[in-house]
Amino acid sequence: MTEVREGRLDRMAPALLLAFLAPMFAEVLPGATRFSSIFVLPIEIAVWGGGAVLARALARTRGLGWWSLLLLGMALSVAEEFLIQQTSVAPMVIRLKGETWGRAFGLNYIYFLWALAYESIWVVLLPTLTTELIFAKRRTEPWLSKAGAIVTGALFAIACFLAWFTWTQIARTKVFHQPPYTPPLAWSAAAATAIALLFVAALRFPPKVRRGLVPPPRWIVGLLGAVWAVLWFGLVVLAFGVDPQFPEIGAGSGGLIVIAFLLYFVPRWAAHPRWSRGHAFALIAGSLTGSMAVSFVGFIGSASNDLWFKVIVDVAAVTGLLWLGRRVSRSFERQGTAS
């Protein structure tokens, strides 16, 4: 019996790690989920983690690549922003200078631009890439059986309801003292349509990289990851109204330029034969380090328990990155010896 349990645990390990890393990367390490609100982590694991695991399993089962995974991550983001917690359509609960900024036609459009990229990349792509580096020999497997997919899907659906209820019916009204909000039917219908179209695009018409580009050195990839993380943190701070005089068109245009750069270059670098696991690790390490470092700005004047919790989890993450970097480096050494 013990051997059976250990075998099942081994088979489940990649999916369980991915489910854990998704909210850790997106919420805990940058400090969006603090020690004072850590009780929401199980819901985040089921929603973000479950969504990432299901998206990856669907893509890998069909032999699809990273573009499909990105599109499925975008579908998860749209569901979060318009249907579950509705943070891109409901009036912002955080307005740093007390003014509404970046909102038109009932849409927090700067915040939505930030969320669409952040949630698809930090919830789905980067945690998946990290888990596949750790479980390199199983990176082509879906990591979910049919029974596992059913259980994960059920937990995901239940957690989506709990996330909707705790945020829209409790936190928004009782913690942030905002009036109740019901999204317009038009936005809900548009979101449902967008999710369906993203699924069709991901599964039937994913973009294809026809020509790879020689990737830059690993240290440049890591530096670019850190720069992107810092710039994207700046965009969400602007969305919260830190500088109401900042031109909205400038923030939106800048964000689109950053995304266009990432979407053009990174997939082409990754498609080139010179792209290695070392490049993938550099991208992860740079992005995580930049995100963890710049988000300390948001802890100025925060409760000491929240600050120390962030310090502890970030140090643990850096330790994990050092371990993973050493592991990737050793794989290079073994390849060099074998050749």
Side-chain angles (χ1 to χ4, degrees):
M1 180 66 94
T2 302
E3 292 180 358
V4 172
R5 289 177 179 174
E6 289 177 351
R8 288 178 179 174
L9 184 60
D10 288 340
R11 290 194 297 271
M12 295 167 56
L16 292 174
L17 179 61
L18 175 55
F20 177 72
L21 289 183
M24 290 298 294
F25 279 24
E27 302 283 357
V28 178
L29 297 180
T33 297
R34 305 187 175 195
F35 182 74
S36 55
S37 58
I38 198 64
F39 57 87
V40 303
L41 184 59
I43 296 177
E44 292 173 346
I45 290 175
V47 174
W48 287 141
V53 170
L54 289 169
R56 186 198 172 279
L58 184 59
R60 295 295 182 260
T61 298
R62 292 171 173 260
L64 301 172
W66 288 98
W67 270 108
S68 294
L69 201 57
L70 175 63
L71 293 171
L72 292 173
M74 292 172 65
L76 178 62
S77 177
V78 171
E80 169 74 9
E81 294 302 315
F82 288 81
L83 303 177
I84 302 173
Q85 293 196 318
Q86 307 163 3
T87 38
S88 284
V89 285
M92 300 286 284
V93 298
I94 299 176
R95 287 174 285 183
L96 297 176
K97 295 298 178 66
E99 296 185 30
T100 298
W101 187 88
R103 181 175 174 84
F105 305 106
L107 176 68
N108 305 316
Y109 57 92
I110 299 297
Y111 180 85
F112 174 60
L113 172 63
W114 169 85
L116 187 64
Y118 183 83
E119 291 166 358
S120 56
I121 294 174
W122 287 86
V123 171
V124 179
L125 290 190
L126 286 180
T128 297
L129 187 57
T130 303
T131 309
E132 290 186 352
L133 280 180
I134 296 172
F135 294 93
K137 293 182 179 179
R138 299 181 58 188
R139 62 183 179 274
T140 60
E141 299 176 13
W143 299 345
L144 273 186
S145 63
K146 290 184 178 180
I150 293 172
V151 172
T152 303
L155 292 174
F156 173 78
I158 294 170
C160 284
F161 171 77
L162 292 175
W164 168 83
F165 184 81
T166 55
W167 176 258
T168 64
Q169 307 302 305
I170 298 177
R172 180 176 178 83
T173 57
K174 293 181 169 57
V175 177
F176 293 99
H177 306 292
Q178 298 290 316
Y181 174 81
T182 301
L185 181 60
W187 275 123
S188 299
T193 303
I195 292 170
L197 291 175
L198 286 167
F199 263 84
V200 171
L203 302 181
R204 300 295 299 274
F205 308 105
K208 296 181 180 180
V209 179
R210 302 188 182 279
R211 183 172 61 89
L213 294 176
V214 178
R218 293 190 293 271
W219 71 268
I220 292 181
V221 173
L223 179 61
L224 289 174
V227 170
W228 127 258
V230 172
L231 290 175
W232 223 241
F233 178 83
L235 186 64
V236 75
V237 172
L238 283 174
F240 289 145
V242 69
D243 184 4
Q245 303 307 314
F246 194 94
E248 297 171 6
I249 189 172
S253 300
L256 289 173
I257 289 172
V258 171
I259 291 301
F261 177 89
L262 293 174
L263 292 180
Y264 181 82
F265 283 101
V266 175
R268 286 169 173 80
W269 290 340
H272 195 275
R274 292 189 185 178
W275 180 269
S276 66
R277 296 178 70 218
H279 287 92
F281 170 75
L283 181 62
I284 296 165
S287 301
L288 267 183
T289 303
S291 173
M292 290 187 294
V294 71
S295 56
F296 272 103
V297 173
F299 281 76
I300 297 175
S302 297
S304 59
N305 287 343
D306 287 339
L307 175 60
W308 280 112
F309 177 72
K310 176 170 169 58
V311 170
I312 292 169
V313 296
D314 285 2
V315 168
V318 171
T319 303
L321 285 173
L322 292 173
W323 170 81
L324 181 57
R326 181 57 181 160
R327 182 170 177 169
V328 171
S329 177
R330 286 177 177 173
S331 70
F332 277 118
E333 294 174 359
R334 288 195 295 269
Q335 290 175 4
T337 302
S339 61

